[in-house]
Amino acid sequence: MMKERMFFIHGGPGMNSSYMQPWFNPLASEFRLIWHEQTKSDLKALAQDCADKIILNGPTHVVAHSWGSFLLLYALDQNPDAAKSLKSSVLISPMALTDINAKESMQRVQKLFSGEDLEKLNALHDRYDNHSAQELMKIVTPYYHYNSEFDMGIPAFDKRFWREINDQIKTFDLRYTVSNLPEKSLLIYGEADFAQPDPEYEQLQISIIPQAGHYPFAERQAYTLATIRSFCLAA
């Protein structure tokens, strides 16, 4: 029996799927896993590439994490035909739907930083080399967990790419795009995640993962994967 496809969109911008793969690979027993990499430095080209890959691999389930949800919603808005290729969608710790809410989310997590870590982050603000990017992620990542001592590894991060894409976004409002998601859609949040669901997401099924932060698939791998597996197989 041919496996159904599962299309993954990683967070960022400026990251890659390597931080997701070890945690989701167990799903390969039921699904054919497809890892989409964000390589275009132009936002519209990034969305077009994502939509083209969804269409190419459809029918497929899509799993988007964090900023990956922004890219998915933007891609479906710019390329409506891509939605026809989706059997279901799972948004994990999705980015806020408006620029204002996204900034408020970041302010919530930054309030948790120690004074020493804030000083280190400020010193890295205008540096774009690989070493400084890794140092930044080493500082930030523990604050995204329910348990700050949990070690999921340091995700790769291209800070210059992050800056280029964010410069193109400016003020955004994606609240109207939620209706473009397939009828079978699930939101997954860690109970301690700094990101909280926008009201527009209330039309979707929501699952809260206990004792988890922004990376529930790492901190509560078995729980999160079981939730995704049962949801997608029932789609």
Side-chain angles (χ1 to χ4, degrees):
M1 182 177 178
M2 185 174 295
K3 296 178 182 178
E4 295 183 355
R5 294 178 174 90
M6 185 170 282
F7 186 86
F8 291 86
I9 306 176
H10 63 78
M15 299 170 75
N16 60 50
S17 67
S18 62
Y19 77 94
M20 298 177 71
Q21 291 187 25
W23 310 102
F24 284 103
N25 277 336
L27 291 176
S29 58
E30 290 96 358
F31 302 94
R32 178 187 169 193
L33 310 186
I34 300 164
W35 305 98
H36 175 61
E37 302 296 346
Q38 301 167 27
T39 58
K40 310 294 183 180
S41 59
D42 174 79
L43 181 59
K44 288 190 177 295
L46 201 62
Q48 185 65 58
D49 184 47
C50 182
D52 288 345
K53 296 289 177 54
I54 288 174
I55 293 171
L56 177 65
N57 289 287
T60 183
H61 306 279
V62 62
V63 177
H65 176 240
S66 193
W67 192 82
S69 64
F70 176 101
L71 180 57
L72 173 63
L73 289 169
Y74 188 71
L76 297 181
D77 183 60
Q78 298 293 304
N79 306 271
D81 285 345
K84 301 173 184 177
S85 296
L86 296 180
K87 293 194 67 175
S88 72
S89 68
V90 178
L91 307 186
I92 304 175
S93 305
M95 181 176 170
L97 293 169
T98 68
D99 179 57
I100 293 174
N101 288 352
K103 288 176 179 176
E104 289 177 347
S105 292
M106 292 310 300
Q107 288 170 357
R108 281 196 293 272
V109 72
Q110 287 172 4
K111 287 180 179 179
L112 303 175
F113 291 157
S114 69
E116 181 181 356
D117 283 342
L118 280 175
E119 288 184 11
K120 291 178 181 179
L121 286 173
N122 289 333
L124 296 170
H125 186 269
D126 295 319
R127 292 178 55 190
Y128 297 95
D129 57 280
N130 289 336
H131 177 72
S132 65
Q134 284 298 292
E135 285 300 305
L136 183 148
M137 294 303 288
K138 188 184 297 184
I139 296 167
V140 168
T141 301
Y143 290 100
Y144 283 51
H145 298 320
Y146 171 80
N147 177 3
S148 61
E149 295 182 0
F150 176 81
D151 184 11
M152 66 168 283
I154 304 302
F157 182 55
D158 184 335
K159 192 179 177 187
R160 191 175 296 279
F161 185 92
W162 172 86
R163 180 63 180 268
E164 289 175 354
I165 295 299
N166 277 296
D167 282 347
Q168 295 172 46
I169 294 174
K170 303 300 181 183
T171 300
F172 66 88
D173 188 339
L174 292 178
R175 288 176 292 183
Y176 68 96
T177 65
V178 175
S179 60
N180 294 331
L181 292 170
E183 182 177 351
K184 188 75 173 177
S185 292
L186 171 68
L187 264 67
I188 293 178
Y189 283 88
E191 68 169 346
D193 195 353
F194 65 89
Q196 298 298 317
D198 290 89
E200 289 75 17
Y201 281 135
E202 291 179 357
Q203 61 186 282
L204 308 180
Q205 184 175 333
I206 298 179
S207 178
I208 306 297
I209 308 298
Q211 298 181 340
H214 197 62
Y215 299 91
F217 51 83
E219 287 191 284
R220 297 296 306 279
Q221 183 190 26
Y223 191 116
T224 305
L225 264 56
T227 301
I228 294 172
R229 183 183 291 111
S230 61
F231 179 81
C232 291
L233 289 176

